[in-house]
Amino acid sequence: MENTKFTVVAHGGAGSNSEHCDGTDEAVHACFKASQMDASLIHSVARAVCVLEDDGRFNAGAGAHPRENGRVEHDAAIMDSNGCFGAVAVLEGFNNPILTAEAVSETEYRLLAGKGAAEFARERKMAPTRHHTIPGGGKDFSTPPKTDTVGCVATDGATFVAALSTGGMAGAHYGRVGDVPIIGGGLYAGSKGAIAATGDGEGIMMKMTAYRAYQLIEQGGKPKEILEEVIGWFTPADAIGLILVTPKGLAGGSNRSMAWSSGEFY
Ligand code: GLY
């Protein structure tokens, strides 16, 4: 990656259909295009996540799975290697939760949840969704959909950024929050690289997955070896997927099917 100016990796979540990588391709290109229009790296990555949230085939934004009560609650987070972090949890009623997470990163706060997050999103004039209760709420989740969380990591050669957005676990208790807004759980970015995870949120956060993967980068690990090691921390019963970018290159993969794409732009 020595001469690479700009590297992006995007995923559509552990369990997403790998044939849907046209959606993750579009996200990668949206990230690069935003950067070409002078957006900051953090905003360029947020634009990529907006594409995935708007896609409708992934568990985030327009495609987010409802909770047991039929309502849709979003978690999202964004972090860069300059110490910027912002997240939302249990946010209802907005098209692109990642933009609210990005807006939180510009404040004195790091994580806003629930009604306070929604009020903040309204104050920031975020676009509302028309419906956030799924008709027929309280539906049968005995065989819940298993797709999970979208994400993007990128570097411009100087800064690293990681971002995630999710509707969370389909059919879970309302108010349940997974790994997505937990720094070092679902995502981490530092001067040596960026990681965005996807899969079973409780397991991901309890293993401090993203931060421990970052430590492997700091120890000089190669991206593909780190990916394999992290997947090995999980039993086959627990879904896990990861994308990462380091000065040594990039990797992506999951112990489930997963749409993911990368782009290196010179
Ligand atoms: N990985 C997303 C979640 O468990 O909520």
Side-chain angles (χ1 to χ4, degrees):
M1 206 173 87
E2 295 302 302
N3 298 317
T4 301
K5 280 169 90 173
F6 199 92
T7 305
V8 192
V9 193
H11 72 64
S16 59
N17 187 334
S18 53
E19 289 178 7
H20 293 167
C21 57
D22 57 307
T24 49
D25 283 349
E26 193 185 334
V28 164
H29 287 280
C31 183
F32 181 61
K33 197 169 151 198
S35 77
Q36 293 291 94
M37 296 173 79
D38 284 338
S40 64
L41 185 62
I42 201 163
H43 190 60
S44 302
V45 169
R47 294 309 321 170
V49 174
C50 286
V51 168
L52 298 166
E53 288 174 336
D54 292 342
D55 186 293
R57 294 174 295 177
F58 306 125
N59 180 12
H65 299 320
R67 304 299 170 97
E68 59 171 3
N69 59 0
R71 296 178 76 90
V72 174
E73 298 173 344
H74 304 270
D75 304 331
I78 195 158
M79 178 175 190
D80 78 9
S81 53
N82 300 320
C84 194
F85 180 87
V88 290
V90 200
L91 175 66
E92 292 187 58
F94 293 89
N95 281 337
N96 294 115
I98 194 65
L99 295 181
T100 305
E102 184 192 6
V104 172
S105 78
E106 293 160 0
T107 72
E108 67 197 286
Y109 308 117
R110 294 292 156 259
L111 170 59
L112 288 179
K115 287 183 186 165
E119 183 61 35
F120 175 83
R122 268 190 295 280
E123 286 164 8
R124 296 302 171 109
K125 312 242 178 303
M126 298 296 167
T129 44
R130 247 187 273 162
H131 306 289
H132 57 278
T133 302
I134 304 298
K139 56 169 75 168
D140 176 14
F141 281 108
S142 51
T143 51
K146 290 288 189 192
T147 53
D148 188 73
T149 305
V150 302
C152 182
V153 294
T155 182
D156 56 9
T159 301
F160 291 88
V161 174
L164 291 172
S165 180
T166 192
M169 189 194 292
H173 199 287
Y174 68 95
R176 177 263 183 193
V177 177
D179 58 297
V180 164
I182 308 297
I183 190 168
L187 78 169
Y188 196 80
S191 60
K192 305 288 187 211
I195 298 107
T198 169
D200 292 334
E202 281 70 11
I204 292 171
M205 75 168 102
M206 291 306 287
K207 290 183 192 345
M208 298 184 286
T209 301
Y211 186 65
R212 287 174 59 215
Y214 182 76
Q215 289 180 314
L216 296 177
I217 296 174
E218 285 184 313
Q219 289 158 19
K222 294 187 179 138
K224 283 199 173 59
E225 290 168 3
I226 293 170
L227 172 71
E228 278 164 28
E229 179 164 343
V230 171
I231 288 176
W233 295 342
F234 293 78
T235 68
D238 296 323
I240 177 68
L242 206 70
I243 51 174
L244 67 153
V245 62
T246 83
K248 291 184 178 170
L250 62 91
S254 174
N255 63 0
R256 300 289 187 276
S257 66
M258 184 168 87
W260 73 280
S261 306
S262 62
E264 293 176 290
F265 304 92
Y266 296 88

